[in-house]
Amino acid sequence: MSVDGSDPASLLGGTEVPVHRVDPLGVLESRYRSMSEALALAGRHDHGAGPSLPDPEELTALPGAEPLIALLEVARLADSGEWDDVVVDCPGAAGWREMVATPSSIVGYLERIWPRHARVVASTGADMRAAVLVAVVDRIVDAASSVEAMLGDGSRTSAVVVTTPTPRVLDATRDLLAVTSFHGVAVARVIANSVLPDLGGAVPTSVLGTHPAVYWTARIRAEHVSALDAFAATTGDLRIDVVSTHPTEPVGFDALGAVSDQMNGQVGDGYGSAILPALVTRVRRESGSGLDTVYQMEVPLPFVEADTVAVGRVEDDVIVSAQGSRRRLRLASVLRRCVVTGAGFDDGVLTVSFAPDPALWPENLQGSTDG
């Protein structure tokens, strides 16, 4: 399926394969219509003095809404049980950054602006419109949370990053890998596409000698290999598959099957075979006991540059910035009763240190070895 407006069916050459193209704006208009009708049925009690919602036909775009709608449609198809696998053709790097960050951002902002406990209070009042609005917000939070869980489930979801073998593009690819893992999506492999093949002994010559194009081709091949080797040297054991360039676009199952065979058989020498896991935090007790306990929260940030890392705390969350992206991470229950005492970034891991807050730490544990 496609979420970026392109039609992958054009590559299948008429082969009968279900292809679903998502129209996020159309789905958004439909869901927004249901929401506005529910609010209208709840009635107005402000005599027209309060804000009013635009008509569904007036919608152009809502920040964050279209990426979430597209991912909800992916989740619906994946959960339908109708297919073994759902392959999603996602947008380019900039669009993917927005899409993968949207679910957690929506949940974080809504819970920050109108926390669940406050919504519960509002829903029990006499204002029917407030109760309906609470129901709408709850549905949005639940939907975004379900998408976030789907993306972060490594047994269900993984990304394949397709790149080309030039230094600048591979630098951007490394950045994209960092952002993808940071937002909770595992990367199964990187595919280096359009790599010039090794001509070997098939060098065209004539009585006039070797054609200059041969040297030009050999130079491009060498640059591709050099760029891939440099990239692999900075990505550890991450799987990198190589696909040679083709003189024509592969269309149809036979042509695409040949590309697949080549891709699965050309893991380059010296390139890895492992996946890049999604971000999973780890909490451990470093030392001490009672109020002298030191806890550490470790946040793995592979391929992230140190000067892009920042961290802060807001109530029961830590806000981590890395590689131009930002993510809100919920603290483990024990850390919510602690204060931050320091942070450091070393060897791809952000470590945040905590100590018990005497005002919040249970009295029966203040002299205990357990937290």
Side-chain angles (χ1 to χ4, degrees):
M1 65 180 297
S2 170
V3 297
D4 66 351
S6 62
D7 187 2
S10 62
L11 294 176
L12 300 178
T15 305
E16 291 296 328
V17 174
V19 176
H20 185 80
R21 182 162 53 184
V22 179
D23 177 12
L25 189 57
V27 179
L28 173 62
E29 181 179 327
S30 174
R31 298 197 178 198
Y32 177 84
R33 187 184 301 277
S34 300
M35 180 187 74
S36 59
E37 289 173 353
L39 289 172
L41 288 173
R44 294 184 63 95
H45 304 287
D46 53 15
H47 306 289
S52 60
L53 294 174
D55 292 331
E57 294 78 11
E58 298 178 60
L59 292 180
T60 54
L62 293 176
E66 292 187 38
L68 179 61
I69 290 293
L71 289 171
L72 281 170
E73 188 68 4
V74 172
R76 183 188 69 80
L77 293 172
D79 291 338
S80 69
E82 192 171 350
W83 296 283
D84 295 329
D85 296 289
V86 176
V87 179
V88 183
D89 183 19
C90 292
W96 171 245
R97 271 178 172 267
E98 178 188 4
M99 176 174 282
V100 74
T102 292
S104 61
S105 296
I106 288 177
V107 173
Y109 285 136
L110 288 178
E111 292 293 357
R112 176 70 173 148
I113 295 169
W114 200 10
R116 188 173 295 273
H117 64 83
R119 300 199 300 271
V120 171
V121 173
S123 67
T124 58
D127 189 346
M128 183 60 69
R129 284 177 61 83
V132 173
L133 185 58
V134 167
V136 169
V137 172
D138 283 345
R139 286 183 61 184
I140 294 172
V141 170
D142 291 343
S145 298
S146 69
V147 169
E148 185 178 13
M150 176 191 71
L151 293 177
D153 184 351
S155 66
R156 298 186 62 195
T157 305
S158 62
V160 175
V161 177
V162 181
T163 186
T164 52
T166 61
R168 290 185 62 183
V169 173
L170 289 173
D171 284 345
T173 300
R174 191 172 183 274
D175 182 75
L176 189 63
L177 292 172
V179 170
T180 301
S181 174
F182 177 65
H183 284 294
V185 180
V187 178
R189 66 172 81 173
V190 173
I191 297 177
N193 191 29
S194 298
V195 178
L196 205 66
D198 184 3
L199 297 178
V203 177
T205 60
S206 69
V207 294
L208 299 177
T210 303
H211 194 281
V214 173
Y215 300 108
W216 178 81
T217 302
R219 179 178 176 182
I220 294 177
R221 162 73 182 177
E223 289 182 351
H224 285 182
V225 172
S226 175
L228 280 172
D229 287 345
F231 176 72
T234 64
T235 54
D237 199 32
L238 179 64
R239 176 173 177 173
I240 302 172
D241 292 347
V242 175
V243 176
S244 298
T245 190
H246 288 258
T248 59
E249 185 176 21
V251 175
F253 260 25
D254 290 342
L256 292 173
V259 172
S260 176
D261 291 342
Q262 182 193 39
M263 178 180 65
N264 291 319
Q266 279 205 30
V267 178
D269 293 338
Y271 301 160
S273 58
I275 68 168
L276 174 63
L279 185 152
V280 177
T281 61
R282 186 168 75 108
V283 177
R284 62 189 179 91
R285 187 171 62 192
E286 172 66 16
S287 62
S289 62
L291 292 178
D292 295 324
T293 304
V294 175
Y295 293 98
Q296 289 188 335
M297 174 181 179
E298 296 178 342
V299 185
L301 299 175
F303 312 143
V304 168
E305 298 173 10
D307 59 0
T308 70
V309 178
V311 62
R313 179 174 180 176
V314 178
E315 298 181 348
D316 291 339
D317 298 329
V318 290
I319 312 298
V320 180
S321 300
Q323 217 66 21
S325 292
R326 183 169 293 165
R327 187 176 178 190
R328 182 184 295 261
L329 300 173
R330 178 67 66 171
L331 288 173
S333 58
V334 66
L335 300 183
R336 299 173 198 173
R337 297 174 285 163
C338 296
V339 295
V340 176
T341 59
F345 181 72
D346 183 55
D347 198 23
V349 178
L350 169 66
T351 302
V352 186
S353 300
F354 296 81
D357 184 344
L360 300 177
W361 206 252
E363 291 186 7
N364 63 320
L365 296 178
Q366 292 193 8
S368 170
T369 60
D370 298 321

